[in-house]
Amino acid sequence: MGWFMKAGPSAAADPRHCVVSVLEPVRSQSVGAGVLLTADHLLTCAHVVNDALGRRPFDPRHPGDDAVPVAVHGRARTSTIDARVTHWVPARRRDGAPGVPGAKDHEWLGDLAVLRLESGPRHQMPPPQWLPMAIGQSLRAWHSSGRSHTFADVRVKSCDEAVGYVDGDATGMAIGPSYSGCPLWSLADNAVVGIVAGHVMPPHDPVTGRPLPHSSQHVARRSWSIPWQRIEAELRTVGAGTLFETPEPDPDDPAYEMLEDLLDRYMPASGLRIEHARAVAEHCGYEVHDSLSAPTTEEFTALLLTEPRALAALTEVLHRREPSAVPPLLAAGRMSQVPRLLSPREHHKLTRHLDALPAPLRNRLPEVARAALPLAAALPTGEDVKRLLDHLECLTGDSRTDADGLRVPGLLRVVEYLAALVPSAQQASLRLWTMSVVDRLGIPHTSLLERRTDAEEWARAARGRTAATWVTARVERAGADRYRLRVWCDEGGGPRRTTTDTEATRSGAEVARELLGVLESLYRAAPDRDRPVLELLVGRDELNLAVDEWGMADPEGHQFGPDELPGVLGAEFPVVVTCPELLRRHERFHPDWRHRWRLLDSDALLTFDDPSQGRSEVYGALLAEKDAVRVAVDVPPRSRDEIVQTCLLMGVPVVMWDRERVDRSPALARLSPVPVRTLPEGTRAYRAMRLGSPHQYAGRPVLAWSDADRSLPRLQLAEPQENG
């Protein structure tokens, strides 16, 4: 037994506390279960992750960087933490046919996901042991809620290398919905032998869908599972074998002898080696076999060349106690492929900072990395932030070298470029983080400040390139599906009139065709800028006019040909509404409007989701929350319009609601975390995704936007015959 011990599978693990609840993000209800695979990884079914993210059960796409909340049930309390998919094995048909399993498929392969716990209590529960499934085993499963009374006892009736069928007892709980992903615990072996994947349901009436009256000929309490032997094989094929194996140092690692010599030089006394080794073990999640005797230099070196963050953790400790030891240790570590740049503490802090960023900013990380490291090799593609961070940690420096040879690592340069884009409070946190890392690495502050200057110059140029053109349109109803249209364009110098025929009436499709023509010409003229924003000037009775849903129909009313595409305004371009009638009704609230607009980057959100609230309650809440810059109105239509109009009357610059007749809007739930500056584009993207997946992206979001720094066209309050 070595001096450093990693918490591994335990035969003493409490089976019920090995159940991890996979939660639906909005309502925090469990949709399935998982089981601890290591101290910070869990295993579940891929279809459980899809369910949690609101996707189709057998969606084969990797979830990318989407966070999946999970609940870990300890003996004393339950902790809810975010997890992200690290290994993905989508469901596939067992007969080898292409496509995902369908209604006629009673069994399937794959359907596995490994998720990494991003934070939270470590070593709260040891992971269980795993053993192969075999016929005749008596097993126990728990509902995804993890409650003690939900256990279901089953017995393995058949098992091959792919599927194990288990039958439940005639009494007690039966395996059913929300048991997917739950571990199947062998009572005799104190180990997990597989996870629940599906259930054989009783027959249903083909017309009504209701269960048929029970018959003794019906299958009862039969479920099927994924045996451990298939789980292990499937996970090894996607590179997850390291989760089951104990790494050994490479005896030919070029850093091995040098690190041994350095440990002997800087820690000659056993007491000093014990002190430093215990600190590194604590940082890296290890236990120590004997805290009274010192580890040998061979044991310590083995840890530094098998645990990727151990060397960074050691230099973090020595930076405060023996700073002269840090440079040679880091130089030796650069000779090996194992050590990572960041210590566990630094990595955890960076992950926490990135998680706190709004998704649109976090999703710009690949763009930021390309700008920060123009001479670097190809970066990983896709939306997996962890994969990109792992790659950036392996880059030894940026594209510039200082005279003393010390280079700012690529990851730190990328973080500085990202910091130049984010709001001031988060910017300070990221810059303090990079400063602390360069302090540990011994890199001069002047080198980092040069990269910071580069980042600020890039951010200024990026903001200048991406400032969107605004197109303002006044759409006035002139009969059944007939409208008058006036259009202005603002490319930075104020609104400029573009339409001439303001008295002609148009259908909704004709309005869409004309507006798309204006927007497309502007977008083609400046493809390096953001898509132009369409601002609709509407009256108080037209706030829910669905202009964003209007499409460009064929002029003769015919269907589009095979090579033609419909043009949906709100899917192709950001569409917001402005109601000057309400905005200018009460001038006493104009100072509040300008005050809120100046604070727009604070992103302060106020939500009204109580249907019993009326104008008086909203009035009081807005007077109390003078710094709220955006409001989400998530109530049924009978009270929604009154609340929306009250917010606009009182000068709230950004108001969101759903024109769909729903009590709780999934659209608002997805759009509320979006940063306020990117809400127009975020709403456009949501409308576009709704066209392809109406069940996953339900709702019809509306975004009211009142910019206190932009002037509205004079004509919108004048008589039609006046010139704009």
Side-chain angles (χ1 to χ4, degrees):
M1 181 180 293
W3 196 87
F4 299 96
M5 299 186 301
K6 189 75 170 178
S10 169
D14 186 327
R16 182 172 65 86
H17 292 145
C18 294
V19 179
V20 178
S21 302
V22 180
L23 307 177
E24 193 270 334
V26 177
R27 295 175 296 171
S28 296
Q29 294 180 346
S30 63
V31 296
V35 56
L36 291 174
L37 194 61
T38 70
D40 48 13
H41 290 82
L42 66 94
L43 172 74
T44 186
C45 294
H47 77 260
V48 171
V49 174
N50 281 333
D51 195 10
L53 297 176
R55 312 197 308 176
R56 292 179 292 109
F58 296 124
D59 191 329
R61 297 172 300 161
H62 192 288
D65 196 44
D66 288 350
V68 180
V70 300
V72 180
H73 307 287
R75 292 186 178 91
R77 65 188 186 92
T78 294
S79 301
T80 301
I81 36 185
D82 281 344
R84 286 188 167 85
V85 174
T86 60
H87 300 88
W88 182 252
V89 189
R92 62 187 186 276
R93 297 177 61 174
R94 189 169 185 180
D95 60 8
V100 298
K104 296 182 179 179
D105 291 292
H106 300 291
E107 299 174 355
W108 52 85
L109 300 178
D111 197 15
L112 296 169
V114 177
L115 291 82
R116 184 188 69 253
L117 303 177
E118 294 291 335
S119 59
R122 301 299 175 95
H123 314 301
Q124 180 175 336
M125 288 302 304
Q129 292 189 111
W130 292 79
L131 292 174
M133 182 180 288
I135 295 174
Q137 287 173 328
S138 294
L139 309 177
R140 178 165 287 182
W142 281 265
H143 184 268
S144 60
S145 64
R147 294 174 181 153
S148 57
H149 70 279
T150 62
F151 67 88
D153 287 333
V154 294
R155 184 177 293 272
V156 182
K157 293 296 185 178
S158 77
C159 180
D160 57 22
E161 294 303 309
V163 172
Y165 280 98
V166 296
D167 285 1
D169 290 348
T171 59
M173 297 287 288
I175 290 177
S178 295
Y179 277 78
S180 289
C182 177
L184 287 164
W185 183 271
S186 171
L187 302 174
D189 301 312
N190 281 338
V192 177
V193 299
I195 60 174
V196 176
H199 184 66
V200 181
M201 300 299 293
H204 289 65
D205 186 287
V207 177
T208 66
R210 297 175 180 173
L212 294 173
H214 180 71
S215 165
S216 59
Q217 297 299 312
H218 290 168
V219 176
R221 296 199 171 196
R222 172 161 293 172
S223 303
W224 71 271
S225 61
I226 307 176
W228 168 245
Q229 45 267 50
R230 174 157 79 88
I231 293 171
E232 185 176 13
E234 296 255 27
L235 293 185
R236 287 188 186 279
T237 62
V238 294
T242 54
L243 297 174
F244 324 124
E245 301 161 353
T246 302
E248 293 289 337
D250 181 0
D252 297 324
D253 193 312
Y256 199 99
E257 290 187 9
M258 186 175 292
L259 285 173
E260 270 193 315
D261 292 341
L262 290 171
L263 292 179
D264 279 331
R265 182 192 309 172
Y266 290 107
M267 305 174 202
S270 60
L272 195 60
R273 203 178 314 141
I274 291 174
E275 181 183 1
H276 292 158
R278 289 181 64 181
V280 172
E282 181 180 353
H283 287 323
C284 295
Y286 282 76
E287 298 174 356
V288 299
H289 173 56
D290 184 359
S291 60
L292 298 179
S293 63
T296 64
T297 53
E298 291 83 359
E299 287 177 313
F300 210 156
T301 304
L303 177 72
L304 300 181
L305 294 177
T306 54
E307 178 61 42
R309 303 199 185 281
L311 181 59
L314 176 59
T315 59
E316 192 173 45
V317 173
L318 292 173
H319 173 66
R320 297 187 296 270
R321 305 177 186 180
E322 187 66 42
S324 63
V326 173
L329 284 169
L330 291 174
R334 284 192 286 270
M335 299 174 63
S336 172
Q337 298 295 317
V338 176
R340 292 296 185 90
L341 173 70
L342 303 180
S343 70
R345 185 187 63 86
E346 292 166 343
H347 185 266
H348 176 65
K349 276 192 173 183
L350 177 59
T351 302
R352 194 176 66 210
H353 290 325
L354 294 179
D355 284 345
L357 293 178
L361 279 176
R362 193 171 62 245
N363 292 342
R364 292 187 67 181
L365 195 57
E367 169 200 347
V368 171
R370 288 190 294 270
L373 305 171
L375 302 184
L379 299 172
T381 58
E383 300 178 354
D384 190 342
V385 170
K386 176 188 179 297
R387 185 167 169 240
L388 178 57
L389 291 180
D390 288 346
H391 178 83
L392 293 173
E393 268 201 272
C394 297
L395 302 180
T396 56
D398 59 17
S399 55
R400 296 167 58 184
T401 305
D402 295 321
D404 58 7
L406 291 174
R407 309 172 72 188
V408 177
L411 175 61
L412 301 190
R413 180 166 180 168
V414 170
V415 173
E416 281 291 334
Y417 272 60
L418 182 64
L421 294 178
V422 304
S424 56
Q426 293 164 315
Q427 181 182 85
S429 297
L430 288 172
R431 286 178 169 175
L432 286 172
W433 179 87
T434 55
M435 194 67 76
S436 69
V437 178
V438 298
D439 279 344
R440 175 178 64 82
L441 298 176
I443 297 173
H445 285 189
T446 53
S447 298
L448 181 65
L449 293 177
E450 286 181 10
R451 309 313 188 261
R452 184 170 294 173
T453 300
D454 294 341
E456 291 170 345
E457 292 176 355
W458 169 79
R460 280 194 295 270
R463 281 192 288 268
R465 286 194 307 270
T466 59
T469 300
W470 282 68
V471 174
T472 302
R474 174 66 163 135
V475 180
E476 295 175 295
R477 200 182 290 274
D481 193 33
R482 305 302 296 177
Y483 304 89
R484 292 188 180 91
L485 177 67
R486 282 169 283 179
V487 181
W488 299 261
C489 176
D490 185 356
E491 295 174 278
R496 175 176 53 84
R497 175 79 168 272
T498 62
T499 53
T500 56
D501 190 356
T502 60
E503 287 302 297
T505 64
R506 303 158 174 83
S507 68
E510 290 168 338
V511 169
R513 179 181 294 276
E514 188 165 340
L515 289 174
L516 280 167
V518 174
L519 293 161
E520 288 169 356
S521 65
L522 292 169
Y523 191 36
R524 286 196 302 269
D528 56 340
R529 303 175 72 163
D530 286 346
R531 289 174 178 265
V533 179
L534 175 59
E535 178 187 50
L536 295 171
L537 305 181
V538 297
R540 67 188 305 165
D541 296 327
E542 298 167 338
L543 283 167
N544 289 301
L545 187 64
V547 179
D548 55 277
E549 298 177 3
W550 289 354
M552 185 175 60
D554 183 276
E556 302 296 329
H558 301 143
Q559 294 293 323
F560 286 95
D563 296 328
E564 297 175 287
L565 292 172
V568 180
L569 269 174
E572 293 201 20
F573 295 95
V575 177
V576 301
V577 299
T578 300
C579 184
E581 175 186 355
L582 294 173
L583 191 62
R584 298 183 177 179
R585 176 63 60 87
H586 296 292
E587 291 188 359
R588 71 180 190 272
F589 289 110
H590 286 188
D592 290 344
W593 174 31
R594 289 188 288 270
H595 170 75
R596 294 180 196 272
W597 184 258
R598 285 195 298 270
L599 298 178
L600 194 68
D601 287 325
S602 70
D603 221 2
L605 171 66
L606 183 61
T607 300
F608 294 112
D609 56 6
D610 184 353
S612 66
Q613 289 178 308
R615 175 159 293 171
S616 296
E617 290 83 357
V618 175
Y619 169 84
L622 290 176
L623 288 177
E625 298 289 339
K626 298 294 286 290
D627 292 343
V629 301
R630 57 193 286 201
V631 167
V633 182
D634 196 4
V635 296
R638 63 181 179 273
S639 52
R640 177 195 63 206
D641 293 346
E642 182 182 58
I643 295 176
V644 167
Q645 293 188 21
T646 303
C647 293
L648 297 177
L649 283 166
M650 296 182 66
V652 177
V654 180
V655 184
M656 300 183 299
W657 69 95
D658 194 330
R659 69 167 67 97
E660 195 73 78
R661 295 182 175 274
V662 293
D663 292 339
R664 287 292 180 266
S665 169
L668 294 186
R670 285 181 177 264
L671 290 173
S672 291
V674 175
V676 67
R677 291 280 186 186
T678 59
L679 259 180
E681 173 59 19
T683 307
R684 182 208 65 80
Y686 187 92
R687 289 165 177 154
M689 291 185 289
R690 182 178 184 271
L691 293 176
S693 304
H695 297 294
Q696 182 179 351
Y697 297 94
R700 303 162 68 195
V702 185
L703 179 63
W705 189 275
S706 305
D707 187 338
D709 293 333
R710 289 183 62 249
S711 59
L712 293 177
R714 284 191 311 108
L715 187 59
Q716 58 89 17
L717 288 178
E719 294 298 323
Q721 66 268 21
E722 289 185 355
N723 294 323

